[in-house]
């Protein structure tokens, strides 16, 4: 049972990793998304664990069924990782899952032989771990997601101050801030950098990250004149303008944030 609790704690930490303070880690979002998807699939283990506790005499059947479901989870993890353009990582996780399943199978057999059917902690683990993961995902993760957004906005203050200072010296805003290095970090593991673009007489300062809904992205944008505009596709900017471009902008679902001049745009497909 202790091993199961430790495993659940590690998986919860992986889920929340992109929202923690720290330097950017490109793999954090991938691992978090994969674990979140796998946590929902792992709910299939809970009925197996309940059946195991009700009828321990058929422990061999429940062990095999649990391993089959675990194999399904491993398959989902591999596919989910490959679907976000991380094929090599998906293959590595799939191989690791196979090794884990073989180890789990041997330990299940040892539990039955040495501990006895009545003393096995396997059924309790099958029920508790998925419930812990899904509960954590539904309660803690949204709060961490919002908190990390607020932290990144707070860290952008230095960059906004420098942009305004540039305007005071030059009489206009910078044409571009594109560079190889990030001098002002976001302060959040899952947010790579702040991006800048001119917008009319002002500018947009924004960052992009994966939305809490997993299958979409969120754009968090600052505009000193509250003239926030964002295009979901670069060809729309090149091929359309005026009202036609406004109709094609992928930013209709937006939320005004507590911070002045900041909005959340998304989820964007």
């Amino acid at each position: 049972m202790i091993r199961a609790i430790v495993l659940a704690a590690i998986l919860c930490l992986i889920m929340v990793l992109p929202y923690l303070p720290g330097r950017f880690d490109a793999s954090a979002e991938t691992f978090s998304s994969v674990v979140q998807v796998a946590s929902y699939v792992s709910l299939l283990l809970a009925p197996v664990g309940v059946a195991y506790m009700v009828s321990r005499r058929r422990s061999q059947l429940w062990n095999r069924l649990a391993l089959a479901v675990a194999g399904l989870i491993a398959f989902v993890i591999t596919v989910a990782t490959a679907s976000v353009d991380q094929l090599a990582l998906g293959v590595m996780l799939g191989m690791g899952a196979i090794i884990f399943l073989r180890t789990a199978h041997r330990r299940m057999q040892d539990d039955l032989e040495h501990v006895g059917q009545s003393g096995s902690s396997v059924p309790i683990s099958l029920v508790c771990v998925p419930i812990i993961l899904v509960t954590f995902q539904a309660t803690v993760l949204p709060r961490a997601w919002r908190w990390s957004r607020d932290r990144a906005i707070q860290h952008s203050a230095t960059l906004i101050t420098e942009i305004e200072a540039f305007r005071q010296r030059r009489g206009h805003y910078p044409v571009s801030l594109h560079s190889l290095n990030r001098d002002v970090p976001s302060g959040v593991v899952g947010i790579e950098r702040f991006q800048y673009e001119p917008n009319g007489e002002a500018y947009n300062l924004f960052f992009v990250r994966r939305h809490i809904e997993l299958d979409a992205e969120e754009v968090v944008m600052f505009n000193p004149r509250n003239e926030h505009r964002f295009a979901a596709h670069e060809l729309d900017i090149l091929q359309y303008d005026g009202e036609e471009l406004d109709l094609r902008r992928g930013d209709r679902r937006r939320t005004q944030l507590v911070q002045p001049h900041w909005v959340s745009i998304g989820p964007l497909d």
Side-chain angles (χ1 to χ4, degrees), residues 53-129:
M53 287 185 285
V54 172
S55 179
R56 290 181 178 266
R57 294 181 179 179
R58 307 180 68 181
S59 57
Q60 290 288 351
L61 173 63
W62 306 132
N63 280 343
R64 293 172 183 172
L65 188 56
L67 288 173
V69 175
L72 174 62
I73 296 173
F75 175 76
V76 170
I77 289 175
T78 304
V79 173
T81 307
S83 67
V84 292
D85 300 327
Q86 297 285 345
L87 179 59
L89 181 60
V91 173
M92 292 175 61
L93 290 176
M95 295 176 63
I98 293 174
I99 297 174
F100 175 80
L101 290 175
R102 294 186 62 182
T103 303
H105 176 67
R106 287 197 297 267
R107 288 184 176 178
M108 284 181 177
Q109 296 299 321
D110 291 341
D111 285 344
L112 292 177
E113 293 176 3
H114 298 96
V115 180
Q117 294 181 358
S118 60
S120 177
S121 62
V122 171
I124 299 177
S125 301
L126 294 178
V127 175
C128 291
V129 172

Side-chain angles (χ1 to χ4, degrees), residues 75-263:
F75 175 76
V76 170
I77 289 175
T78 304
V79 173
T81 307
S83 67
V84 292
D85 300 327
Q86 297 285 345
L87 179 59
L89 181 60
V91 173
M92 292 175 61
L93 290 176
M95 295 176 63
I98 293 174
I99 297 174
F100 175 80
L101 290 175
R102 294 186 62 182
T103 303
H105 176 67
R106 287 197 297 267
R107 288 184 176 178
M108 284 181 177
Q109 296 299 321
D110 291 341
D111 285 344
L112 292 177
E113 293 176 3
H114 298 96
V115 180
Q117 294 181 358
S118 60
S120 177
S121 62
V122 171
I124 299 177
S125 301
L126 294 178
V127 175
C128 291
V129 172
I131 293 177
I132 291 173
L133 294 179
V134 173
T135 301
F136 182 88
Q137 185 174 351
T139 57
V140 177
L141 221 56
R143 296 181 182 180
W145 177 70
R146 290 189 292 268
W147 178 86
S148 65
R149 179 176 61 195
D150 294 341
R151 177 178 174 82
I153 290 175
Q154 182 180 7
H155 273 239
S156 71
T158 301
L159 188 55
I160 293 174
T161 300
E162 291 295 331
I163 293 172
E164 294 297 337
F166 179 96
R167 181 176 179 273
Q168 290 293 327
R169 295 193 306 269
R170 309 287 182 87
H172 61 85
Y173 287 114
V175 175
S176 173
L177 293 181
H178 183 72
S179 62
L180 293 177
N181 299 310
R182 302 184 300 272
D183 294 324
V184 181
S186 67
V188 178
V189 173
I191 299 176
E192 181 176 6
R193 68 187 305 169
F194 298 111
Q195 301 185 51
Y196 169 93
E197 64 176 5
N199 183 5
E201 297 298 322
Y203 64 93
N204 295 329
L205 185 70
F206 62 97
F207 56 87
V208 183
R209 64 174 183 168
R210 188 171 297 279
H211 198 272
I212 195 69
E213 295 181 8
L214 288 182
D215 60 343
E217 291 184 321
E218 176 196 31
V219 177
V220 183
M221 179 177 291
F222 170 86
N223 184 287
R225 296 191 177 187
N226 291 326
E227 298 173 349
H228 308 87
R229 291 183 177 180
F230 182 81
H233 301 279
E234 57 188 14
L235 289 180
D236 288 346
I237 300 175
L238 297 173
Q239 297 175 356
Y240 305 97
D241 55 18
E243 294 183 359
E244 196 169 10
L245 176 59
D246 290 337
L247 291 174
R248 292 179 176 272
R249 290 189 185 277
D251 63 352
R252 296 199 170 192
R253 185 174 172 181
R254 61 172 62 192
T255 303
Q256 186 70 45
L257 301 179
V258 176
Q259 296 84 352
H261 311 300
W262 283 92
V263 299

Side-chain angles (χ1 to χ4, degrees), residues 2-27:
I2 295 178
R3 289 196 295 261
I5 294 175
V6 172
L7 174 62
I10 293 173
L11 293 177
C12 287
L13 179 60
I14 293 174
M15 278 195 282
V16 80
L17 181 60
Y19 312 125
L20 296 179
R23 300 181 61 180
F24 173 70
D25 186 342
S27 63

